[in-house]
Amino acid sequence: MSNVVVIGSQWGDEGKGKIVDWLSDRADVVCRFQGGHNAGHTLVIDGETYKLSLLPSGIVRKGKTSIIGNGVVVDPWALIEEIERISAQGVEIGPQNLMVAENAALILPVHRAVDKARETASGARKIGTTGRGIGPAYEDKVARRAIRVCDLMDPSTLEERVDALLAHHNALLSGLGEPTFDRAALMQELDDIAAKIAPFAAVVWKALDEAKHKNKRVLFEGAQGIMLDVDHGTYPFVTSSNTVPGQAGSGVGVGPRTLGYVLGITKAYTTRVGAGPFPSELTDEIGERLGERGREFGTVTSRKRRCGWFDAVLVRQSVKVAGMDGIAFTKLDVLDGFDELKICVAYEIDGRRYDHLPAATGLQARAKPIYETLQGWSESTYGARSWADLPATAIKYIRRVEELIETPVALLSTSPERDDTILVRDPFEG
């Protein structure tokens, strides 16, 4: 049996929640390995909708161990709120099925304030963050002034870290004309939340090593998408962490050979939230139609997503960078009823043809899509559970996508319901 890493192959919002839930039923352990509560997953199980941000998708499944790894930046207040909200829906959550890495860095109220203040000060040049403090928290981690989960249980260390953190951030907030933070008030907030977080703190790398020796199947759950990776994405319009599968190892504390099959979640068209380049974006009625049919609003922020045709150049690049073994192709049903469909097969930039998205910000902004046109289909694919249920033209579209991105479809999703999934190859079988 193989472990599985699930990542997004575009700019996030590819439908990872449903696929991760579908796979978590086959896993023993489900791990989040990067990001924060800026990424949301929506699960629909037996008619019940669960909206998760920090909690791994396995939490709604009985008998599964859910892990929040050290690569995640954790807002402890947001985590407790989410635990309480999901528990109110009848899901049992406790230290017996949820572990939070003791060495995970925390997001504090000051991080949220700095995030919003900098976005406001940037004006038209803003990145389009969620304002939840993820970026500033990662900055503190790299600058070695972060407060970690384990520090909450060590008062002397906590005081030193708070002093260092406020010395930096209060100066910045003051310079931006924003209110600064009171040390005593912040210490009290941390003391109050520590008692609630402490039961979940765990030595995650050790727990995963034990799971390995017991031949447990592990699902590594990524957030966002490859094109939001801080190194490989459309910088600077990216998230603050590495979203590639290699981060799964360092983000929980396992070696690269532990990771196994890499599954890239890929939407049948393209969407993006926030600012940044988007070569195949449609600002016409077709783009509006895709957004309405696909219900393209963020799980966490409710922000409307920008929509466009499928960009094979972008996904092929993600496939190469991430080393994907296969993709889960989602939201095919949104394309039902189009007379014709277009796929971006290359870019034109300053009169030159590109088969990849270059790293230079200026070149990315000037990239124009070169399209290939395919015949659409009038039949419904919604809820299809076998290839026989699909129109021939829909299958032709899927096969052309496979050719262009140079990787096979392992799973095909045709609705938000978990059982409306066509299995081509089980990732856990390697």
Side-chain angles (χ1 to χ4, degrees), residues 195-381:
K196 297 180 180 180
I197 291 293
F200 299 101
V203 185
V204 161
W205 66 265
K206 194 170 184 294
L208 286 169
D209 185 62
E210 291 169 358
K212 176 182 177 181
H213 288 290
K214 292 178 181 178
N215 293 317
K216 299 286 188 180
R217 289 191 286 191
V218 182
L219 179 62
F220 300 93
E221 177 183 0
Q224 289 100 20
I226 297 295
M227 285 298 141
L228 289 175
D229 185 278
V230 70
D231 287 309
H232 301 287
T234 49
Y235 190 90
F237 303 97
V238 292
T239 194
S240 300
S241 61
N242 287 112
T243 61
V244 292
Q247 176 63 25
S250 60
V252 296
V254 299
R257 285 183 291 182
T258 302
L259 301 181
Y261 190 99
V262 177
L263 180 68
I265 315 302
T266 306
K267 193 179 289 185
Y269 50 102
T270 311
T271 62
R272 175 163 201 171
V273 170
F278 186 169
S280 67
E281 182 176 11
L282 298 170
T283 56
D284 56 11
E285 65 275 8
I286 295 178
E288 287 292 323
R289 183 178 173 186
L290 288 171
E292 290 172 5
R293 296 198 61 187
R295 297 173 183 161
E296 296 297 348
F297 295 91
T299 300
V300 171
T301 63
S302 297
R303 288 190 295 179
K304 185 178 180 181
R305 298 174 186 141
R306 301 154 64 190
C307 298
W309 292 121
F310 185 80
D311 190 334
V313 184
L314 202 75
V315 176
R316 182 174 61 243
Q317 189 163 325
S318 293
V319 166
K320 305 298 185 183
V321 169
M324 294 179 200
D325 297 295
I327 67 166
F329 206 42
T330 66
K331 291 199 169 185
L332 181 70
D333 55 291
V334 174
L335 299 182
D336 293 351
F338 283 92
D339 293 330
E340 63 177 30
L341 303 169
K342 293 184 178 181
I343 297 177
C344 177
V345 296
Y347 304 128
E348 186 272 319
I349 307 175
D350 300 334
R352 177 183 168 189
R353 185 184 177 104
Y354 283 77
D355 65 355
H356 68 285
L357 189 64
T361 303
L363 293 179
Q364 291 179 353
R366 297 195 298 276
K368 305 297 182 184
I370 297 174
Y371 287 121
E372 178 179 300
T373 302
L374 283 77
Q375 181 182 351
W377 56 88
S378 58
E379 305 95 323
S380 173
T381 63

Side-chain angles (χ1 to χ4, degrees), residues 5 20-21 27 54 120 147 171 200 222 226 299 320 388 399 415 425:
V5 183
V20 170
D21 173 58
L54 268 172
T120 299
I147 295 172
F200 299 101
I226 297 295
T299 300
K320 305 298 185 183
R399 296 305 184 207
S415 93
R425 180 179 180 180

Side-chain angles (χ1 to χ4, degrees), residues 62 89 103 125 137 152 285 306 322 420:
K62 290 184 178 180
Q89 292 184 260
N103 53 336
R125 296 177 290 106
L152 293 176
E285 65 275 8
R306 301 154 64 190
D420 292 340

Side-chain angles (χ1 to χ4, degrees), residues 15 34 40 65 84 117 147 177 180 189 220 226 241 274 326 376 379 413 416 422:
Q34 51 79 218
T65 299
E84 292 173 348
I147 295 172
T180 58
E189 286 188 82
F220 300 93
I226 297 295
S241 61
E379 305 95 323
S413 171
I422 300 172

